[in-house]
Amino acid sequence: MKKIGVLFGVENTFPSALVDKINAFEMEGIHAEFVHLGEARMAEPTGYAVIIDRISHDLPFYRAYLKNAALSGTQVINNPFWWSADDKFLNYGLAAKLGVAVPRTVLLPHKQLPLEVSDRALRNLQYPLDWEGIFAHIGFPAFLKPHNGGGWRDVHHVHSSEEFFRAYDQSRDLCMMLQSAVDFEQYFRCFVVGQSEVLVMPYDPRRPHEHRYLPGPPACEKRLLRRIERDARTLCRALGYDLNTVEFAVEDGIPYAIDFMNPAPDADLHTVGQASFDWIVDSVARLAVRKAQASRAAHPRMRWSSLLNQTLPKKRLPRQKKAAKRGASR
């Protein structure tokens, strides 16, 4: 029996619907359940062929457990190694390298030092920063936000240098980014499952959280829709995420990727709506079953080198020539 486990936190509708959907397939040798664990024993199998991770970003114990699970043969959605290494500033740079439109972005030093760091550790930093050059590059309005965060926490919409410095002074020891604002006419949030299936949903980030998903299909030209779907797949394949959401703000017909580090995206019935919820549950359930049925040889290799270079072809190293004389290769 191959078990598929769901590891989750406070959410209710998605985990239970996902377990019920997988079991309703009545696939021989496949069973889904909520993950149940106590201590994690080093290098020992978990008993799960697949674990769908919805919570490890909040609990280091779960993240360490999932890495150990992957080491022992469990396929984890999403890859805990890459997720641990990822951040939003890296994502923006990756998108730019891949030809996906993103707003201009700069990374800023911490306003306050972490408690264990002294001023002597900052001898490599320029001081003061070239604020005039930074503001000229980014422009106003802009967004000041953490380089590695979510849920719109500590995000500030600033319209001048005065507003920026007031917000920056409140950032504590967070590492922040300043990013050009997109004056969007349309906004879309895409669920991407298995790095191939894309559900494009109209979305308005200016509304209260529970009302941001708008009813109905996306009202846009087919050409724009195809580009959004293509860019969403491109980003998720490069990042290695099998479950992710990608947000696009459309200005002058150009879809700018705004937020695409969401490996445990909100999939609650009451926020995404019934039709989208059904699509997400079905797509993730089928993905989990495919992974459970895959042979061990088809599993991704959990090595940092392959994770960091997965978009590039592997190069075969030239065979080293034998030294003609002793010590010639030293």
Side-chain angles (χ1 to χ4, degrees):
M1 177 69 68
K2 291 187 175 181
K3 292 196 300 182
I4 299 172
V6 182
L7 185 66
F8 65 103
V10 298
E11 62 180 331
N12 291 313
T13 59
F14 179 66
S16 56
L18 184 58
V19 167
D20 291 343
K21 184 71 174 182
I22 294 171
N23 290 332
F25 290 151
E26 297 184 346
M27 304 288 292
E28 185 177 354
I30 300 289
H31 173 73
E33 64 184 36
F34 297 152
V35 172
H36 184 72
L37 70 152
E39 80 283 359
R41 299 190 179 186
M42 179 187 68
E44 290 191 6
T46 64
Y48 292 99
V50 176
I51 293 178
I52 301 161
D53 173 21
R54 306 284 298 162
I55 189 60
S56 74
H57 54 290
D58 286 336
L59 289 172
F61 169 68
Y62 282 165
R63 180 59 57 85
Y65 165 79
L66 290 172
K67 289 178 180 178
N68 189 67
L71 179 70
S72 302
T74 300
Q75 295 194 77
V76 182
I77 304 173
N78 281 291
N79 186 315
F81 292 96
W82 183 242
W83 193 352
S84 298
D86 203 4
D87 65 68
K88 293 191 174 185
F89 186 66
L90 170 66
N91 285 6
Y92 288 121
L94 176 63
K97 295 287 187 182
L98 294 171
V100 176
V102 288
R104 294 183 302 278
T105 307
V106 297
L107 186 69
L108 301 173
H110 305 264
K111 174 61 180 181
Q112 296 178 7
L113 296 180
L115 291 176
E116 66 276 10
V117 178
S118 70
D119 291 342
R120 295 182 61 193
L122 303 182
R123 285 175 287 185
N124 295 101
L125 282 181
Q126 172 187 333
Y127 184 83
L129 290 177
D130 179 14
W131 291 114
E132 289 187 6
I134 293 171
F135 297 150
H137 174 65
I138 297 298
F140 289 109
F143 283 94
L144 179 69
K145 54 188 179 181
H147 92 297
N148 192 11
W152 287 82
R153 291 185 296 270
D154 296 290
V155 175
H156 303 270
H157 193 193
V158 295
H159 299 80
S160 65
S161 58
E162 291 78 15
E163 287 188 16
F164 164 80
F165 284 118
R166 282 198 296 270
Y168 189 48
D169 288 344
Q170 299 173 37
S171 63
R172 308 182 302 283
D173 62 351
L174 297 174
C175 182
M176 304 293 284
M177 301 180 296
L178 186 64
Q179 185 174 78
S180 301
V182 177
D183 186 17
F184 61 88
E185 305 99 23
Q186 293 178 294
Y187 201 102
F188 301 99
R189 197 172 207 230
C190 307
F191 264 89
V192 186
V193 179
Q195 303 175 23
S196 59
E197 298 180 68
V198 182
L199 175 65
V200 182
M201 298 171 291
Y203 189 81
D204 189 347
R206 296 166 295 197
R207 292 189 173 200
H209 178 76
E210 63 274 15
H211 300 298
R212 289 179 181 176
Y213 289 94
L214 306 180
C220 65
E221 296 180 356
K222 290 185 178 179
R223 182 179 179 181
L224 174 61
L225 188 61
R226 286 195 298 268
R227 177 172 174 180
I228 288 172
E229 291 174 345
R230 182 194 69 207
D231 287 354
R233 292 188 186 100
T234 296
L235 290 170
C236 291
R237 287 169 181 167
L239 292 168
Y241 290 147
D242 282 313
L243 176 59
N244 195 14
T245 53
V246 183
E247 295 181 17
F248 292 95
V250 181
E251 181 181 7
D252 296 331
I254 300 174
Y256 291 90
I258 299 298
D259 186 12
F260 42 98
M261 184 184 166
N262 299 295
D266 176 19
D268 185 79
L269 168 64
H270 304 295
T271 54
V272 302
Q274 187 69 59
S276 296
F277 181 77
D278 291 343
W279 185 94
I280 296 163
V281 169
D282 183 73
S283 298
V284 176
R286 293 182 185 279
L287 171 67
V289 169
R290 289 196 302 272
K291 286 186 172 292
Q293 293 175 326
S295 66
R296 183 69 183 270
H299 294 191
R301 299 177 70 185
M302 296 296 176
R303 293 186 179 177
W304 286 105
S305 59
S306 62
L307 293 171
L308 295 173
N309 296 285
Q310 59 184 304
T311 59
L312 301 175
K314 293 183 178 180
K315 294 182 179 180
R316 182 174 294 178
L317 294 175
R319 186 174 296 175
Q320 190 175 15
K321 295 181 179 179
K322 293 183 179 180
K325 297 180 180 180
R326 181 180 295 180
S329 60
R330 293 178 181 174

